[in-house]
Amino acid sequence: MTKKPTPTAFPTHAPHLIKDAVKLIASYPKVPITVDCVIFGFEENELKVLLIRSDLEMYKGFWSLLGDNAKDNEELDSAAYRILKERTGMNDVYLDQVRAFSHPQRHPGGRVITLAYCSLLNIQHHELKIYANELHWHSFSSIKEMAFDHKEILDTCYAWLQKRIQEHPLGFNLLPDKFSLRELQNLYEAILGVSLDRRNFRKKFASMGLLIDVGEMEEDVPHRPGKLYKFNFEKYEKNKRKWIGIDF
Amino acid sequence: MTKKPTPTAFPTHAPHLIKDAVKLIASYPKVPITVDCVIFGFEENELKVLLIRSDLEMYKGFWSLLGDNAKDNEELDSAAYRILKERTGMNDVYLDQVRAFSHPQRHPGGRVITLAYCSLLNIQHHELKIYANELHWHSFSSIKEMAFDHKEILDTCYAWLQKRIQEHPLGFNLLPDKFSLRELQNLYEAILGVSLDRRNFRKKFASMGLLIDVGEMEEDVPHRPGKLYKFNFEKYEKNKRKWIGIDF
DNA sequence: TTATTATTGTGTAAGATGTACACATTTAAA
DNA sequence: TTTAAATGTGTACATCTTACACAATAATAA
């Protein structure tokens, strides 16, 4: 998902040239940088987002994204993974950089630039080790107000997600390994905020050939159980380019 | 194009709370931030990009993006507009934030995080006031090597442009006010790197209804001249949402 | 003035995809 | 045994995509 910037190979140069470069950089104003992670999940037919309580007294009681400052010489992608790990224990999650938020008054303590990172994950797969202050999954639609400009960041990431899920079949990241077509459709409907024709939805996914019938049925549903499928990751990886642009 | 972050309305609080917030921020490492602008244009059937010579002795002779440091308390979007203006005199141009590049060794003078901004413009409309060191348009495809990690940034922005131009009919930003369908098609072919069927291309744009026949013909072409069109910006703005997803 | 060259402008048929829509079947629960 | 709720399935129609050819026009060169 996220493309890691590769190190720049710059020619090694005479020390006085390096000194010049260092001097130039030293003349630039410096800014504290933070990373905020927007972690989406899906459960009980609802899009959820992982939040903590703000640790600033000023925003006491407000919900806040999982964020912290980037360390010296730390790549931002690495910072995002580190912060997520520190606060939730999660390890095996992809994060995508979404954008920077840099309004000079976005933080009451002074100027901070933050980079928003976003991820989709399967809530069942990631037990929360609650290292952070009141770490909880929240129904996305119930979040009206947040600390700092975090509501704006959240909304930007939601828009990013809506777009993203139509370009790649990432819905699978949000579901259990085995899922029914109804669950898959509910997911798309929840994220896109539309209702979709059941037959056409099934036809669409059938024609993509990305679903493997695992030969099992749903259990413990109060109605006729549906077949369970798993996602054909192998085929997806092979034909990645093709799936861009899924229309419903 | 670019969505400006809106100021956060945070409740005014007791001074000691503000002090806490300030203290928190003060404990964060600080990083120099720069902005680099990738300005694409189109001329002589070629995608072009606006570059300057690196002003670092170390990268003497290398081409470099239009960049500079963000100032204290300056929003990054504003910084990008300011820098573009300072270096080229250009005023009336949209810039979109693309992404941050933060590899700790990306600059020989030490850690600098840069935010890439991207724009498409009509070369004829924007006479360059050359405030910068050897500011020139370059054929995109001729650029093989650049200062710092600027080649990587350029390539990322090119990929962004390819995607972007298929989601919105932004090709128009790159063309003169009046253009022929051939010019429009050349533009798409150049940016997407494919060749398109002429009849189908024309049909597609005709059906979008975004072209207005200005009742004039091309001049000074060594063959039968084509009709000239202008872009129906008004209609585009009204139906913006609809145009997402232009397939050829 | 004429012939040559390059490019414009135009339509259609076949295939692929999207959309709207209904009914018998299956399970759990009452 | 009935009821409720959801599954599984196919078709016709409209829309969009793709492939493809030829006469008309203007500029240029002979």
Side-chain angles (χ1 to χ4, degrees), chain B residues 182 217-218 221-226:
Chain B
R182 178 178 30 81
M217 304 297 272
E218 283 182 297
V221 285
H223 54 75
R224 175 177 175 183

Side-chain angles (χ1 to χ4, degrees), chain B residues 36 64-65 106 146-155:
Chain B
D36 284 299
S64 160
L65 298 170
R106 58 175 294 280
M146 296 180 72
F148 314 104
D149 56 355
H150 285 192
K151 182 62 164 75
E152 184 192 347
I153 298 176
L154 176 60
D155 288 341

Side-chain angles (χ1 to χ4, degrees), chain A residues 144-187:
Chain A
K144 303 289 180 220
E145 210 181 18
M146 296 180 72
F148 314 103
D149 55 355
H150 285 191
K151 183 61 164 78
E152 184 192 345
I153 297 177
L154 176 60
D155 288 342
T156 301
C157 287
Y158 176 63
W160 174 90
L161 167 63
Q162 287 191 318
K163 202 175 156 189
R164 195 81 183 156
I165 205 175
Q166 290 190 75
E167 290 171 345
H168 297 273
L170 298 175
F172 304 101
N173 288 340
L174 291 152
L175 290 174
D177 288 336
K178 300 172 186 177
F179 51 85
S180 67
L181 283 170
R182 178 178 31 81
E183 289 174 295
L184 186 60
Q185 185 176 342
N186 284 342
L187 171 77

